[in-house]
Amino acid sequence: MTVRRRTVLLAVASAPLLVACSKTADKAAPKLKLEKVWQEPVVTPWVAVPGRVRLVGDAVVVADGTGTANARVACFNAADGAKKWVMDGTKPVSAPELGDVWVSVVGPGFLGYSSTLIQGPTVRAAGDILPVPVASAPKGAAASGVVGIDVRTGNPVWGFRAGATPSTDRTMVTAVAESVVLATVSAPFGPGWPDKTRPPTTIALDAKTGDELWRDADAIGVSGDGNSVVVVKRTAASWHMEVRDARTGKARWTGTHQSRGPYEHRGTAADHTVLKHADRKDLDLIRLSDGKPLDYGTDATPNVVASDPPLLVWDSGVAWWAKGPNGFVTQTLPKGSPTKGKHRPKGLEFTAAYGVGPYIWGDYGTTQESEDNDYLAGTVAVDRTGAPCSPNLQGVMLADVSENWLVVARKDHIELHRVTTA
């Protein structure tokens, strides 16, 4: 699953273990223990790290930097941080059909976060294949494309050239479905809004072979899951969302809302995706397999997490802040009813990011309703009542999490923590 978040936590000190999880009959979850195993320096600003780090089994893949000269894609062993393989800007890589190419990490890493960016880069494997953007020259005008890397060995399996004509535009992997890679050719910092002089083009590639399946101008890939992808398509004055068959590009659903500026893709999990629009009011919850919009029973902004079963999760909002300890709301997909959690310290709100088994990982952040529990603000795992279940890591950005591993970003490095039952 993929979830984008822009929360920045300012606290820097580590907090002690939080209170134990609740023991309700149907939602009990054991406490978790976090053990920091290793850290690795990165040049990407910490607010830009989510989306650039991915846990692939017991390995950690990191896309760091921007452009070619200071860029690298590296794979580390989760257990000890040993480097399994690396592609960096110091030397070219020989790829099938392309010859010598340089890794090209596209995106706003030098900015941290761009308010006009439509979609950032994504790091995600399709099976054993990791799609990596490349360029034919280390700097300046170049042909750009994508190389499929065997994530286990770092060896190139296939190469695809997006365009033969040298240009300052670059190719960026924006979404990966089960067997399809979406690569968008756009300005070198990523597809932005507005930029009528440099319209983006999205190309769908077979993840196993690198063969082109379809392409579309004035379109940007957003997310993928199963055999579906989500794209935004530009019209004369706006963008609209579409769910498409990943391999054919045929639309399964076309959004009715017209976005007139950047938007947020809130998350994709287990055949469902949430798309939030620029006005911060309109929201679409879509089932990807058939493109059917679903009702989600609230005017608030939910996040979708891949907990089992998949859930919509949203904080209970201003109306609950003054009531003291309370929780967020969850709704089981596809047909559950909203359920209010019971635990949240007064003055804090919870932003869900990932679901792993019975746990929901995300950020506690202050609402400035109360300073009594400010020390709790940070990245934490909770159960479905909202009760904290893990140590609280402050001053970090949550990058990725699995049943066994947690990756977070600090100011100048990433950290890998082992997750075990306390």
Side-chain angles (χ1 to χ4, degrees):
M1 62 158 281
T2 306
V3 178
R4 307 284 309 197
R5 292 160 19 267
R6 301 297 182 194
T7 305
V8 178
L9 301 178
L10 299 180
V12 294
S14 298
L17 188 70
L18 297 181
V19 298
C21 289
S22 62
K23 296 183 179 180
T24 55
D26 59 340
K27 296 180 181 179
K31 290 188 296 182
L32 298 175
K33 179 173 65 173
L34 299 179
E35 175 193 359
K36 180 180 173 181
V37 182
W38 52 268
Q39 68 182 51
E40 172 71 14
V42 294
V43 298
T44 301
W46 66 323
V47 294
V49 167
R52 292 170 176 257
V53 176
R54 185 72 59 182
L55 288 161
V56 183
D58 286 330
V60 183
V61 178
V62 181
D64 188 24
T66 54
T68 52
N70 72 333
R72 64 169 179 156
V73 177
C75 183
F76 302 90
N77 185 42
D80 57 11
K83 189 177 296 180
K84 302 180 70 173
W85 55 264
V86 62
M87 299 170 59
D88 59 36
T90 62
K91 57 184 178 181
V93 174
S94 181
E97 308 297 328
L98 298 181
D100 285 350
V101 290
W102 277 257
V103 62
S104 177
V105 178
V106 184
F110 61 100
L111 297 174
Y113 168 62
S114 170
S115 61
T116 64
L117 191 70
I118 291 290
Q119 178 66 3
T122 188
V123 176
R124 182 178 173 185
D128 293 327
I129 300 299
L130 177 74
V132 175
V134 295
S136 62
K139 60 182 179 179
S144 65
V146 182
V147 171
I149 301 296
D150 187 322
V151 73
R152 299 165 298 180
T153 64
N155 295 326
V157 177
W158 52 259
F160 174 82
R161 181 177 285 105
T165 303
S167 169
T168 56
D169 286 355
R170 291 293 183 264
T171 302
M172 180 172 78
V173 175
T174 57
V176 178
E178 184 174 280
S179 64
V180 175
V181 175
L182 292 190
T184 299
V185 183
S186 68
F189 56 84
W193 172 278
D195 193 355
K196 295 181 180 179
T197 63
R198 303 173 76 172
T201 296
T202 285
I203 307 169
L205 305 176
D206 185 293
K208 291 184 178 180
T209 65
D211 294 337
E212 181 176 332
L213 301 174
W214 52 269
R215 70 169 60 199
D216 197 354
D218 280 326
I220 299 170
V222 175
S223 66
D225 194 66
N227 63 353
S228 296
V229 291
V230 179
V231 303
V232 289
K233 179 71 175 175
R234 183 164 63 177
T235 60
S238 63
W239 297 85
H240 65 264
M241 319 298 182
E242 293 183 352
V243 176
R244 298 185 181 184
D245 182 281
R247 300 195 67 83
T248 68
K250 182 179 180 180
R252 291 176 171 159
W253 172 86
T254 298
T256 57
H257 299 136
Q258 301 298 305
S259 180
R260 300 185 181 276
Y263 67 93
E264 283 188 76
H265 164 236
R266 301 294 299 194
T268 298
D271 197 31
H272 297 85
T273 193
V274 174
L275 305 166
K276 183 180 180 183
H277 299 258
D279 57 13
R280 306 289 178 175
K281 295 179 181 178
D282 286 336
L283 192 78
D284 288 315
L285 168 61
I286 309 300
R287 187 162 58 217
L288 294 174
S289 56
D290 57 14
K292 181 180 179 181
L294 303 182
D295 293 328
Y296 51 87
T298 178
D299 292 330
T301 303
N303 292 273
V304 59
V305 299
S307 187
D308 186 21
L311 296 172
L312 289 177
V313 185
W314 62 95
D315 195 82
S316 42
V318 177
W320 281 25
W321 291 350
K323 295 182 180 180
N326 51 65
F328 49 85
V329 181
T330 60
Q331 181 174 330
T332 303
L333 292 170
K335 296 181 179 180
S337 298
T339 301
K340 294 181 179 180
K342 300 177 181 179
H343 299 277
R344 185 190 66 185
K346 183 177 180 180
L348 298 179
E349 61 180 328
F350 183 76
T351 302
Y354 300 95
V356 180
Y359 304 101
I360 303 169
W361 288 85
D363 295 324
Y364 266 133
T366 179
T367 64
Q368 298 183 352
E369 168 69 23
S370 168
E371 297 181 357
D372 292 344
N373 294 294
D374 280 353
Y375 71 94
L376 293 176
T379 290
V380 69
V382 301
D383 69 9
R384 297 189 185 187
T385 73
C389 296
S390 78
N392 179 34
L393 299 179
Q394 295 184 325
V396 302
M397 292 293 290
L398 176 54
D400 201 8
V401 65
S402 67
E403 183 178 354
N404 299 317
W405 309 105
L406 168 70
V407 186
V408 296
R410 295 193 186 271
K411 183 178 180 180
D412 57 0
H413 65 272
I414 60 170
E415 295 177 356
L416 192 287
H417 295 255
R418 191 188 309 273
V419 181
T420 58
T421 302

